[in-house]
Amino acid sequence: MARTINANGVTNITGGDVYPIYMVALNFSTPVYVHSDLGTISHTPPFLGGNVDYIGVGNLGSVSAIPETTQIQANIINLTLSGINTNTISTAIQTDYQGKDCSIEIALRDTLANGGAILDTIVVFSGFIDNMTLNIGDTATIRVNAVDKLVRFDKASNRRYNHADQRKEYPDDDAFIYQDSLKEQLLVWGGTRSV
């Protein structure tokens, strides 16, 4: 899939003053925003309208390969955060995570000597959190599996194209008001009716 980079990002890439980082947003009941560099970065995730602080996890986090295929299918990715403190473990245990929004962006970050600003971001994955596993030993590891938004195609909508169902969602909409009477209607196209 083709993706574009803004002019500022292109200028800095060709000048060699930029490096890529991952920015991961997990919309838990207590949201988690992390990036693969160090320090705190203020940025707007794809599913929010304002800036939040992304916390740097450095080498403690990893993102699996993000598959792109020509087929219409839901893909699964894995996010791992290791060597984490007990506060994060307790948040992970108590949070309601299944079906929550998840996004991964590749951000072009200016060098720290130039201020470390985010020059551009490209959304490489957007989906939902599927499940989460915790491994607690000498160090604690949280692994989150996320599935992309194409998984919605596998689920039935349970909607009906009739007047009663349309009125449940839109009480003033009469788009299907004549549908019941039309299903018994005998229509003749291009000729005369002979019964």
Side-chain angles (χ1 to χ4, degrees):
M1 175 164 67
R3 294 186 175 91
T4 58
I5 300 173
N6 68 29
N8 193 20
V10 171
T11 302
N12 284 278
I13 286 173
T14 55
D17 295 335
V18 69
Y19 59 98
I21 62 171
Y22 280 115
M23 300 189 80
V24 177
L26 303 171
N27 196 23
F28 294 139
S29 48
T30 303
V32 174
Y33 305 106
V34 294
H35 65 85
S36 61
D37 203 11
L38 300 175
T40 301
I41 298 173
S42 184
H43 176 67
T44 303
F47 51 81
L48 286 181
N51 281 355
V52 294
D53 287 338
Y54 281 73
I55 308 301
V57 294
N59 294 328
L60 300 178
S62 67
V63 177
S64 70
I66 300 172
E68 287 192 359
T69 65
T70 56
Q71 299 179 8
I72 299 175
Q73 65 183 28
N75 294 310
I76 297 174
I77 60 146
N78 302 309
L79 306 167
T80 305
L81 191 59
S82 59
I84 54 181
N85 62 33
T86 55
N87 291 339
T88 307
I89 291 286
S90 64
T91 300
I93 289 171
Q94 297 171 11
T95 193
D96 178 23
Y97 62 84
Q98 204 157 35
K100 300 292 186 181
D101 288 314
C102 167
S103 71
I104 301 172
E105 299 171 87
I106 292 181
L108 301 177
R109 189 174 191 190
D110 204 348
T111 59
L112 294 177
N114 293 334
I118 297 297
L119 304 171
D120 194 12
T121 60
I122 301 166
V123 177
V124 292
F125 181 86
S126 182
F128 307 104
I129 298 168
D130 185 30
N131 60 39
M132 181 169 55
T133 56
L134 301 172
N135 293 321
I136 301 173
D138 292 339
T139 61
T141 301
I142 297 177
R143 182 178 172 139
V144 174
N145 293 336
V147 63
D148 67 26
K149 292 186 177 182
L150 288 176
V151 74
R152 286 181 173 168
F153 287 124
D154 291 338
K155 296 184 178 178
S157 69
N158 294 325
R159 295 292 310 270
R160 303 289 178 255
Y161 293 104
N162 61 32
H163 184 63
D165 191 69
Q166 185 72 4
R167 293 301 285 260
K168 285 179 192 173
E169 185 91 14
Y170 305 100
D172 298 328
D173 189 353
D174 288 333
F176 294 105
I177 195 166
Y178 298 111
Q179 184 179 11
D180 286 342
S181 62
L182 285 174
K183 68 182 176 186
E184 302 298 329
Q185 189 89 19
L186 177 62
L187 299 174
V188 179
W189 296 97
T192 58
R193 178 175 163 179
S194 58
V195 177

